[in-house]
Amino acid sequence: MPVSKLSGIGPKRVEQLERLGVRSVGELIRFYPRAYEDWTTVEKIENLQNGGAYCVRAVLGTDVSNAMIGGGRILSKATVYDDTGTLRLVFFNNRYISQMLARGVEYFFFGKITADSFGFQMVSPSFSKVSDGVVIHPVYRTTAGLPGKTVQNAVRQALRLLPNEINDTLPDRVRQTFGLCGLREALVNIHFPPDRDALDSARRRLITEELLVLNLGMRELKGHGRGTTGIKITKDYSDRFETLLPFTLTNAQRRCIADCVSDLMRGGAPMNRLVQGDVGSGKTAVAASVCYTAAKNGCQAAVMAPTEILARQHYKTFSKLLEGTGLRVALLTGALKESEKKQIRAQLASGELDLVIGTHALITEKTEFCNLGVAVTDEQHRFGVAQRAKLLGKGENPHLLVMSATPIPRTLGLIIFGDLDISIIDELPPSRKPVKTVLMNSSQRDRVYNFIHSEIKNGRQAYIVCPLVEEGELDNVASAEEYAAELMLGRFSDVPVGIVHGRMKSDEKEAVMAKFASGEYPLLVATTVIEVGVDVPNASVIVIENAEHFGLSQLHQLRGRVGRGDAQSYCVLISDATNPQTTARLEVMCSTCDGFKIADEDLKLRGPGDFFGERQHGLPQLSIADFADTKSLELSQKIADYIMFVYKDLRNEELHLLKAEIDRLFDSGGHNMLN
Ligand code: ADP
Ligand code: MG
């Protein structure tokens, strides 16, 4: 039923509601309030404070007086009282106020208190008669020219159209087992809750349902998303690969490789696997082994990295490992000359190349493969699911290997990567020592510099991470170049200092990174361009300036640049922040090196928006749930397990409404995941 059927909703309102994504009465019912004004806690007038938002319960003591002010606007005033004092109310430009409020009647008024020379006043409060009894008021997202009250009235009418008995998306059995209220009750109470408890129970039910739908949807994708593959991989070359390595693989690495190889060789559905391992756990070797087996079986492999620096580093690692094996490796990134790119693309298309490492350049239209067998994405959290799908689209249903450090908390990972099988590298190479991490303020910087000098004297290397230049938003933080210049002329005048930042050209960056990797530069001043993947095992110190500007997961990634070799490594966080919350956050870094723990803390502290950048996870838009809500995520996971256990199959008749919701959610924004 279109919203135009509701009274008070004419063509103009229809258009405004459409802008909010609401076309039907059903959508209006699912248009949940963005917030609530809680009128359940009433404050006495004598206790009001300037700047606070309050609900007072007071009687209108005067008539409403109207006065014309500049620009033909109306200013309405009235005074209200309770048993502790009086308060002035002020309304702007609302001609109807004098008709809406009656002298001698008791109301709830909700609004912000401001002060002027006459004392306190409440400006344009919302209000309702105490006798109406409504105490928690919904606040809706609105758009220009559409008053919240209008939305509220429309929702009220829409809810009246709900039949007394509605079919519930969740079977009774599921609701009873997990103590969730019925759908009808939830829909009514999410808009107009009689009290806090009713609201909480409605929210719980709807949030859980939404996450459940997401969860089950991702499981569906895993089962049926990819069809079968014709790629033939019949022989396992991972033992042979190990002989090429300068080190022995850890058991965890071997296990992950074995998982992958068994996926490659099983026939039927292609590999669809996530290898998750903390920074420094050795994911590159796992990827290289898988690519090697693929290439030895006669198909092509592609590794996509999120940055130019990382792609080049991988290219070097792979080339060195595969030297003398006869396999042909190439690099394809945006920074190459057009003629070089053209040549490499031609070789890829003709099958002359076995392996290609690259950046987004791999997924542009111009890139074609002869027979892409395995597609690898490194640092998957930097890519959207759609980009992953694009890489897969370069072959005939190729195998997929996704590599990720652990910036995603377990519960969330279960959902986001729900369409992937997971192998975890839960072991660091032997002889790794946890990075010692300390928090210091800028007055202690000199000690830090002395320490760097002594490490360099011992043949080690160091990074100093200065605040972002490329973002350019942070005021009064030194730019990388100035910062480096200061160090080069000052405390480190006797040390060759390299500098990399995002504004440099790729080949310049590359040249500096190469000199740092070879040890020619013992000290590298860098921005966060070194955040992902950079691997120089001889580096033993990283100093992070203005540490408070970074999220915990980002700090963890940065810290992961050291502690990659045998030497004891150090991370110094420099911050002058005094806010206890900020220092507490930085203390988390000092207390643990466990990426999972840090990710959990980070999500709790910052919320998922910052955590992911701009919806990089590629998941459908949620309407009420929140990815940071670990408790609800866990509950939805449990219910999903229960449902699969009890009903076995989503096609079960009792689940048909739930199934419809899954299809709806994934149609409305997540379809790219189906490729
Ligand atoms: P990440 O998991 O962060 O991508 P890398 O693959 O870059 O980690 O590996 C980190 C460092 O550890 C590299 O210098 C790599 O050569 C080294 N490494 C990887 N596996 C082992 C191992 N089994 N034993 C010793 N060193 C290893
Ligand atoms: Mg890596």
Side-chain angles (χ1 to χ4, degrees):
M1 188 190 284
V3 282
S4 57
K5 294 269 176 226
L6 300 172
S7 82
I9 304 295
K12 193 172 113 206
R13 296 294 188 223
V14 167
E15 209 176 279
Q16 289 166 333
L17 284 171
E18 190 161 343
R19 238 177 283 152
L20 296 171
V22 175
R23 279 163 302 265
S24 67
V25 170
E27 282 167 339
L28 188 59
I29 289 176
R30 292 275 188 178
F31 185 65
Y32 306 133
R34 136 182 100 69
Y36 299 86
E37 288 176 357
D38 186 353
W39 298 20
T40 50
T41 1
V42 172
E43 200 54 75
K44 292 290 184 193
I45 288 177
E46 66 175 0
N47 294 333
L48 303 182
Q49 286 183 11
N50 190 14
Y54 297 97
C55 178
V56 297
R57 177 180 173 153
V59 177
L60 197 72
T62 61
D63 285 328
V64 176
S65 70
N66 290 324
M68 294 300 283
I69 52 171
R73 303 190 332 144
I74 304 166
L75 177 70
S76 312
K77 288 185 185 172
T79 302
V80 298
Y81 64 87
D82 67 6
D83 54 0
T84 67
T86 63
L87 177 67
R88 277 181 304 135
L89 305 182
V90 181
F91 297 89
F92 290 104
N93 232 18
N94 188 337
R95 273 182 288 149
Y96 303 107
I97 283 294
S98 45
Q99 293 159 39
M100 291 161 83
L101 288 171
R103 190 171 174 164
V105 175
E106 191 175 28
Y107 298 91
F108 292 113
F109 295 98
F110 186 95
K112 207 171 157 189
I113 298 294
T114 58
D116 64 11
S117 51
F118 299 107
F120 284 177
Q121 58 186 18
M122 200 179 245
V123 181
S124 303
S126 29
F127 54 86
S128 74
K129 275 191 208 155
V130 167
S131 58
D132 285 349
V134 186
V135 283
I136 296 178
H137 287 246
V139 180
Y140 294 95
R141 205 153 50 79
T142 60
T143 177
L146 180 69
K149 267 267 191 257
T150 307
V151 179
Q152 195 174 317
N153 287 336
V155 171
R156 216 184 269 282
Q157 287 183 60
L159 288 172
R160 273 193 222 114
L161 295 172
L162 278 180
N164 279 336
E165 289 286 328
I166 61 173
N167 296 325
D168 205 306
T169 23
L170 299 179
D172 289 352
R173 185 166 170 184
V174 173
R175 278 194 294 113
Q176 274 151 21
T177 309
F178 294 94
L180 297 170
C181 74
L183 181 58
R184 189 180 200 290
E185 185 185 334
L187 290 176
V188 171
N189 289 347
I190 198 74
H191 293 285
F192 302 106
D195 54 42
R196 268 278 139 195
D197 286 348
L199 176 58
D200 289 345
S201 130
R203 280 182 58 83
R204 189 172 121 94
R205 146 79 206 221
L206 295 172
I207 287 171
T208 310
E209 176 179 323
E210 186 165 42
L211 292 175
L212 174 68
V213 164
L214 189 58
N215 204 313
L216 289 170
M218 292 305 281
R219 291 183 194 213
E220 277 276 276
L221 285 184
K222 178 175 176 172
H224 312 289
R226 304 264 334 261
T228 61
T229 183
I231 296 160
K232 289 228 155 25
I233 294 182
T234 51
K235 194 156 181 264
D236 175 4
Y237 286 86
S238 47
D239 286 343
R240 172 109 66 98
F241 174 80
E242 210 176 327
T243 64
L244 305 172
L245 287 168
F247 47 75
T248 326
L249 290 171
T250 62
N251 287 330
Q253 284 170 312
R254 284 205 189 108
R255 206 171 354 92
C256 287
I257 292 169
D259 288 347
C260 294
V261 170
S262 110
D263 290 350
L264 296 180
M265 291 172 54
R266 79 184 153 203
M271 168 163 79
N272 214 22
R273 185 168 294 277
L274 166 69
V275 166
Q276 204 167 34
D278 210 341
V279 280
S281 60
K283 294 182 289 292
T284 315
V286 172
S289 175
V290 173
C291 290
Y292 182 76
T293 287
K296 289 302 249 182
N297 278 275
C299 43
Q300 292 176 306
V303 180
M304 182 162 71
T307 66
E308 184 89 22
I309 287 183
L310 192 52
R312 284 176 188 259
Q313 177 184 292
H314 281 339
Y315 172 65
K316 260 195 207 132
T317 310
F318 277 63
S319 312
K320 210 157 145 203
L321 282 176
L322 302 179
E323 221 170 286
T325 61
L327 295 179
R328 293 145 305 176
V329 191
L331 176 74
L332 181 60
T333 67
L336 295 183
K337 286 199 205 91
E338 252 346 287
S339 57
E340 292 172 313
K341 280 190 255 186
K342 208 167 161 192
Q343 189 192 352
I344 288 166
R345 287 192 169 117
Q347 290 173 338
L348 269 180
S350 71
E352 277 167 75
L353 287 172
D354 302 293
L355 240 146
V356 66
I357 322 274
T359 52
H360 294 82
L362 290 175
I363 54 175
T364 59
E365 244 162 63
K366 290 184 200 142
T367 309
E368 280 173 39
F369 288 80
C370 168
N371 62 337
L372 179 63
V374 174
V376 182
T377 57
D378 190 16
E379 307 290 350
Q380 171 63 39
H381 64 287
R382 289 300 193 91
F383 295 108
V385 183
Q387 288 166 319
R388 180 169 108 195
K390 255 199 191 143
L391 184 59
L392 288 180
K394 298 287 178 193
E396 305 272 330
N397 221 354
H399 297 283
L400 171 69
L401 174 60
V402 168
M403 299 198 292
S404 180
T406 52
I408 297 187
R410 272 171 236 271
T411 43
L412 192 51
L414 282 172
I415 289 192
I416 292 190
F417 295 125
D419 60 332
L420 299 171
D421 297 309
I422 300 181
S423 298
I424 295 180
I425 313 185
D426 51 6
E427 180 188 355
L428 293 177
S431 80
R432 289 281 172 80
K433 302 178 185 74
V435 179
K436 286 195 177 142
T437 306
V438 291
L439 177 59
M440 293 191 153
N441 57 45
S442 53
S443 70
Q444 294 165 297
R445 210 176 261 136
D446 218 49
R447 274 175 59 198
V448 178
Y449 291 163
N450 285 339
F451 180 66
I452 293 179
H453 269 291
S454 78
E455 286 290 291
I456 290 175
K457 217 168 270 152
N458 290 330
R460 300 292 169 197
Q461 289 169 270
Y463 298 91
I464 297 182
V465 180
C466 56
L468 321 141
V469 276
E470 43 271 70
E471 258 67 28
E473 292 159 348
L474 301 169
D475 292 341
N476 68 42
V477 285
S479 84
E481 266 158 357
E482 279 170 36
Y483 191 87
E486 220 170 273
L487 292 173
M488 282 186 231
L489 297 172
R491 288 293 274 116
F492 294 97
S493 55
D494 54 341
V495 173
V497 179
I499 162 168
V500 278
H501 59 71
R503 292 226 190 106
M504 287 163 67
K505 288 211 193 81
S506 287
D507 47 348
E508 293 170 349
K509 273 192 258 184
E510 160 68 4
V512 175
M513 287 313 294
K515 283 188 181 171
F516 184 64
S518 71
E520 202 172 315
Y521 288 138
L523 177 60
L524 184 69
V525 177
T527 59
T528 51
V529 293
I530 57 144
E531 177 187 340
V532 289
V534 168
D535 182 46
V536 179
N538 189 46
S540 63
V541 192
I542 185 164
V543 176
I544 303 171
E545 290 280 354
N546 288 91
E548 73 277 6
H549 286 320
F550 300 101
L552 288 184
S553 292
Q554 206 178 1
L555 288 174
H556 182 63
Q557 280 285 336
L558 285 168
R559 176 169 63 184
R561 296 317 107 219
V562 298
R564 300 184 147 247
D566 305 340
Q568 175 62 56
S569 294
Y570 304 87
C571 169
V572 183
L573 306 173
I574 296 189
S575 172
D576 289 331
T578 49
N579 176 337
Q581 249 174 328
T582 309
T583 29
R585 204 159 61 86
L586 297 174
E587 292 291 347
V588 172
M589 291 299 297
C590 303
S591 67
T592 182
C593 285
D594 181 336
F596 276 119
K597 268 195 207 153
I598 289 169
D600 278 333
E601 285 295 322
D602 205 18
L603 190 63
K604 257 186 244 153
L605 293 165
R606 293 199 308 159
D610 295 327
F611 196 84
F612 288 112
E614 4 160 316
R615 294 193 62 227
Q616 288 192 339
H617 45 78
L619 288 173
Q621 188 87 54
L622 298 180
S623 61
I624 187 168
D626 180 338
F627 288 122
D629 180 355
T630 327
K631 270 215 185 107
S632 303
L633 281 167
E634 272 164 11
L635 179 62
S636 73
Q637 181 72 14
K638 254 194 226 146
I639 301 178
D641 288 342
Y642 174 86
I643 286 179
M644 293 322 287
F645 178 75
V646 171
Y647 299 96
K648 307 290 185 283
D649 190 327
L650 289 180
R651 277 164 300 190
N652 186 297
E653 186 47 30
E654 275 190 63
L655 300 175
H656 81 276
L657 285 172
L658 194 58
K659 180 79 176 73
E661 282 299 310
I662 294 171
D663 295 342
R664 199 179 55 81
L665 184 69
F666 281 83
D667 274 353
S668 66
H671 55 275
N672 54 356
M673 276 182 291
L674 291 163
N675 182 29

